[in-house]
Amino acid sequence: MSNDILQRLAETLDARKQAAPESSYVAKLFSKGDDAILKKVIEEAGEVLLAAKDGDRQHLVYEVADLWFHCMVLLAHKGLSAADVLEELARREGVSGVVEKANRK
Ligand SMILES: N=c1c2ncn([C@@H]3O[C@H](COP(=O)(O)OP(=O)(O)OP(=O)(O)O)[C@@H](O)[C@H]3O)c2ncn1[C@@H]1O[C@H](COP(=O)(O)O)[C@@H](O)[C@H]1O
């Protein structure tokens, strides 16, 4: 498994910040702002739920990819990236009980 794709996608998303809204899907979504991006994240999360229940594993992979992608758009919009999330996951690897503690917040 490689993180290169996440890195390349993060770079593409950053480049879309300078692009004209009509030039691409991501540029348009950035131009619409927070609420539109959050709406896509929620919508895609719902589609993950439905795919998980329909028993089609490839459909689930497809919908999770849509969800990850839109989460990455959200992160980029907030000046963050997948690298920040991977760093947080790596930090948790070495910290016993951190997930349980986070869930109690
Ligand atoms: N990984 C993706 C990706 N995954 C999903 N999508 C788009 O996300 C949308 C998913 O929303 P839906 O399933 O609801 O489909 P839709 O009805 O067309 O969406 P809406 O118009 O309702 O928002 C679709 O338009 C997909 O094309 C993506 N669009 C782009 N990328 C990556 O982002 C890069 C930049 O994309 P552009 O900005 O389009 O150049 C591309 O090179 C790709 O690597």
Side-chain angles (χ1 to χ4, degrees):
M1 195 163 63
S2 160
N3 296 332
D4 291 356
I5 178 64
L6 297 179
Q7 176 64 32
R8 283 199 303 278
L9 181 53
E11 286 166 11
T12 302
L13 297 181
D14 268 346
R16 291 294 186 269
K17 289 180 183 176
Q18 325 301 332
E22 63 277 10
S23 67
S24 91
Y25 175 78
V26 173
K28 189 172 181 186
L29 202 44
F30 277 145
S31 76
K32 289 182 178 172
D34 274 10
D35 285 0
I37 298 169
L38 290 166
K39 190 165 167 252
K40 287 305 293 180
V41 170
I42 294 300
E43 192 182 303
E44 300 303 343
E47 287 174 16
V48 166
L49 184 153
L50 295 175
K53 289 187 175 274
D54 77 12
D56 178 343
R57 284 151 46 94
Q58 196 50 46
H59 185 203
L60 180 58
V61 169
Y62 183 93
E63 295 300 348
V64 170
D66 268 358
L67 178 59
W68 283 16
F69 166 72
H70 285 91
C71 285
M72 287 186 68
V73 172
L74 175 63
L75 289 167
H77 192 60
K78 298 291 184 186
L80 295 163
S81 77
D84 296 291
V85 177
L86 293 174
E87 201 175 296
E88 172 62 16
L89 290 173
R91 189 188 66 78
R92 291 179 189 182
E93 229 180 1
V95 185
S96 172
V98 70
V99 175
E100 289 82 348
K101 276 180 214 151
N103 286 343
R104 271 189 253 120
K105 277 184 190 166

